[in-house]
Amino acid sequence: MSGMPSTNSIIEIIYLVAAALFILSLMWMSSPRTARRGVWAGELGMLLAVGGTLLHHGIVDYRWIAIGLVLGSIIGVPLGMVQMTAVPQRTALSHAFGALCVTLVGTSEFYLRAPNVPRFMMAVLSMEVILGSLTFTGSLMAAGKLEEFLPQRPITYKGQNVVNLSVLAAAIGVAAYVVVHPERTGLFPVILAVPLLFGVLMIVPIGGADMPTVISLLNSYAGLSAAAMGFVLDSKLLIIAGALDGASGFILSVNMSKAMNRSFSNVLFGAFGQEQAAVAGAQEARPVRSATPEEAAAILTAANKVVIVPGYGMAVAQAQHKVRELYDALSKRGVDVKFGIHPVAGRMPGHMNVLLAEADIPYDKLLDMDEINGEFPQTDVALIIGANDVTNPAARTDPSSPIYGMPILDVDKARTVMVIKRGMSAGFAGIDNPLFYLDKTLMLFGDAKGFVGDIVRELGGGHG
Amino acid sequence: MSGDLLTSLYVFMLAAFIGFEVIRRVSPLLHTPLMSLTNALDAIAVVGAIILAGEHKSTLATILGTIAIVAATSNVVGGFLITDRMLKMFKSSRPQKP
């Protein structure tokens, strides 16, 4: 051997550096101060890896690669420029694209190697293709529901879980058969098609408020399928990236299910939004106290400490910029204003933080549930905008409530509670919220954006 | 089980542990950009697609490889772009130390 390193070992070293940059990238995500550096590290790693791959001696034709890279970039730019409210569906769509890539590569690898696929390889390849195709259709369905192409409400029927699990079991069964009998290549399309069906069926019973958990779970599947692809191609870099992505999605799904006090299986097979609808009808027309924007403004001005609790309703009403004006007006008067964010507020993990950051609210005012809950007893006013179930004290006190045990924001411990709400309809879970009937609670009926705007006007008017 | 495969399993296991440790430290503030970033990193699968499309071993492999490049590249470009856009918006009310 000569002293010159071969192209292959140069590529391998480039991949090694890229893997290190990917890990650094995620390490720098730990704080908003270093997070942008994390993106740059990731970009550099990606650039190196793609550049290194182009040196690969097996590549004989660059035309299709160039077309793919250009076309992908053309599609990628608008996907990177979507509105912040549309980030959940964009994320679901990108999970679908990632899974599509993995599934297509897996399919090609199978037909390039068939019928002499070693057993372990066939097992990993099946895992890659099964996870990839169910993530593909599942994510497309999730994106469709989030974008409201498809009905958001969960669709359930009797025996749904049995049907879904049988479909998944069928896919795994056929894959296992092909592992043992690799010459039966005709069965491969079944391993591809059945999980595609399962992906659709899996998302049918999922409602809007379950989306944070489901998106995280699909994130995890996308990562694991990429890691499986790494095993098939013997690419350590892909195994590392897939494992990091899989771990990230897994941690987020665990966080989300904990925040809803539900197990994975309950989220995937529960669909409790439908079953509870009957309970809500039972109790109606209890008296509530309501207030006008003038009264609300007066109470807020008199407060020393205000905690605003935003929910998905705020995002739907596009009220975040008005909320920022309220934050500014109150801060100017010396009121201490903070935001209490429940982990499942919004349609994906951390969604509410992004929307508030976009409205220029400083991130050190955005506190997560564990940080803010200790502060409610010293809080003069808790102002709830478009949130419901995450503030329901029945989760703490009423063992018969379907959300009993779910960690909530303890807004009822504040001196005064104000709830901006369109009407008295129940939340996602269809559960009545006893918070609304407390003596300390004032209902502010109206559209979130309009009502907050009215309060801001009152505050401005009182000033000059 | 070949040695290569066992090495791959070790790499997977270690990367998963690193993943758990690193991701646990990410502030819940940044969970949305975290997901779009890991999504972009995951699109490193594009390297497999590039080789597939460039090797020209079969027409099927070239076609599927090219579509796979398109899908993964859109994740790379879109994922990094939106992550950076989101992170740019996070500002502190306290002046930053130089």
Side-chain angles (χ1 to χ4, degrees):
Chain A
M1 277 285 159
S2 72
M4 288 292 284
S6 70
T7 318
N8 260 352
S9 41
I10 293 174
I11 296 176
E12 286 303 321
I13 287 171
I14 290 175
Y15 284 173
L16 183 71
V17 174
L21 283 167
F22 284 1
I23 293 170
L24 279 174
S25 167
L26 292 178
M27 279 170 70
W28 280 326
M29 281 300 280
S30 62
S31 143
R33 281 176 193 279
T34 52
R36 287 191 73 197
R37 204 191 303 161
V39 178
W40 299 330
E43 287 169 345
L44 181 61
M46 185 65 66
L47 209 62
L48 285 175
V50 171
T53 305
L54 294 176
L55 302 175
H56 197 280
H57 61 78
I59 298 179
V60 294
D61 185 349
Y62 284 91
R63 280 176 304 173
W64 294 104
I65 298 173
I67 291 172
L69 290 176
V70 170
L71 220 55
S73 306
I74 291 173
I75 298 172
V77 171
L79 281 175
M81 299 307 291
V82 298
Q83 297 272 313
M84 289 301 150
T85 39
V87 166
Q89 44 270 47
R90 192 216 80 92
T91 306
L93 201 60
S94 66
H95 291 155
F97 283 170
L100 177 67
C101 169
V102 166
T103 310
L104 294 179
V105 173
T107 305
S108 311
E109 288 295 327
F110 175 81
Y111 285 111
L112 287 177
R113 292 159 199 238
N116 301 311
V117 189
R119 279 187 186 160
F120 182 85
M121 184 62 76
M122 189 59 219
V124 181
L125 199 62
S126 305
M127 204 174 107
E128 175 188 340
V129 172
I130 289 175
L131 278 173
S133 37
L134 74 85
T135 307
F136 176 61
T137 48
S139 299
L140 282 182
M141 286 285 291
K145 283 196 169 193
L146 286 164
E147 184 66 39
E148 295 178 25
F149 284 146
L150 301 168
Q152 286 234 341
R153 86 197 144 73
I155 298 165
T156 54
Y157 54 86
K158 209 160 169 267
Q160 190 169 30
N161 296 343
V162 179
V163 171
N164 289 2
L165 286 176
S166 315
V167 170
L168 183 62
I172 295 171
V174 173
Y177 182 78
V178 178
V179 169
V180 182
H181 303 280
E183 73 283 358
R184 301 294 300 272
T185 54
L187 285 172
F188 187 79
V190 179
I191 305 179
L192 205 61
V194 176
L196 287 175
L197 175 65
F198 175 76
V200 175
L201 295 177
M202 179 174 77
I203 305 301
V204 164
I206 302 290
D210 282 328
M211 280 301 170
T213 320
V214 170
I215 288 193
S216 310
L217 207 57
L218 291 167
N219 182 189
S220 187
Y221 292 163
L224 289 178
S225 63
M229 175 173 157
F231 279 94
V232 172
L233 301 180
D234 191 24
S235 162
K236 309 283 189 281
L237 176 60
L238 196 42
I239 293 175
I240 291 171
L244 293 174
D245 192 32
S248 171
F250 183 76
I251 288 181
L252 292 176
S253 350
V254 170
N255 280 355
M256 293 301 111
S257 346
K258 270 191 195 152
M260 299 186 84
N261 192 36
R262 301 171 70 184
S263 63
F264 273 173
S265 54
N266 188 283
V267 170
L268 283 180
F269 304 118
F272 78 19
Q274 289 300 82
E275 294 157 34
Q276 300 311 324
V279 184
Q283 25 181 276
E284 281 298 327
R286 279 160 67 188
V288 296
R289 295 167 63 208
S290 65
T292 62
E294 294 86 350
E295 290 160 335
I299 295 167
L300 287 168
T301 316
N304 289 319
K305 187 173 165 66
V306 172
V307 174
I308 299 177
V309 174
Y312 187 61
M314 183 196 74
V316 172
Q318 293 281 343
Q320 52 271 35
H321 295 279
K322 285 285 169 212
V323 169
R324 207 282 310 275
E325 289 175 22
L326 179 64
Y327 165 83
D328 285 344
L330 290 172
S331 299
K332 219 189 290 169
R333 288 159 182 257
V335 183
D336 173 25
V337 185
K338 285 180 181 159
F339 291 79
I341 317 261
H342 194 277
V344 295
R347 285 293 180 264
M348 69 178 291
H351 187 201
M352 213 47 69
N353 298 302
V354 170
L355 295 176
L356 293 171
E358 187 194 18
D360 269 337
I361 291 165
Y363 65 77
D364 47 289
K365 300 292 180 191
L366 311 177
L367 280 73
D368 70 9
M369 181 169 63
D370 297 334
E371 292 170 316
I372 198 77
N373 264 349
E375 298 195 19
F376 280 114
Q378 296 91 48
T379 299
D380 298 302
V381 182
L383 174 62
I384 298 160
I385 306 176
N388 188 352
D389 294 329
V390 296
T391 63
N392 191 338
R396 270 200 327 260
T397 54
D398 178 7
S400 71
S401 170
I403 57 168
Y404 181 68
M406 174 175 139
I408 57 159
L409 291 157
D410 296 331
V411 290
D412 56 320
K413 294 189 175 158
R415 236 152 272 146
T416 304
V417 181
M418 297 202 281
V419 183
I420 302 183
K421 212 170 175 312
R422 281 177 180 280
M424 285 306 291
S425 64
F428 149 75
I431 304 158
D432 200 30
N433 192 341
L435 180 76
F436 302 157
Y437 310 109
L438 297 178
D439 284 341
K440 62 164 80 166
T441 303
L442 289 171
M443 300 302 290
L444 312 178
F445 289 115
D447 163 69
K449 190 176 181 179
F451 207 105
V452 175
D454 288 345
I455 299 178
V456 172
R457 208 168 307 123
E458 287 300 323
L459 289 172
H463 206 59
Chain B
M1 200 181 283
S2 73
D4 269 0
L5 208 59
L6 199 61
T7 317
S8 293
L9 281 171
Y10 269 102
V11 170
F12 178 75
M13 180 200 69
L14 292 173
F17 274 106
I18 290 172
F20 280 118
E21 285 306 309
V22 172
I23 306 291
R24 265 182 342 124
R25 292 188 172 80
V26 176
S27 153
L29 266 181
L30 299 183
H31 277 167
T32 297
L34 169 71
M35 203 184 274
S36 56
L37 179 67
T38 53
N39 208 271
L41 298 184
D42 198 42
I44 189 66
V46 74
V47 301
I50 287 176
I51 294 175
L52 207 55
E55 277 181 336
H56 245 322
K57 279 189 185 162
S58 76
T59 314
L60 180 76
T62 310
I63 294 171
L64 296 189
T66 307
I67 301 173
I69 296 178
V70 176
T73 309
S74 71
N75 269 1
V76 172
V77 174
F80 282 128
L81 201 60
I82 198 147
T83 309
D84 199 50
R85 274 180 63 216
M86 284 193 265
L87 292 175
K88 257 196 280 190
M89 301 180 324
F90 281 86
K91 294 179 199 91
S92 172
S93 65
R94 292 182 283 265
Q96 292 208 6
K97 278 181 215 156

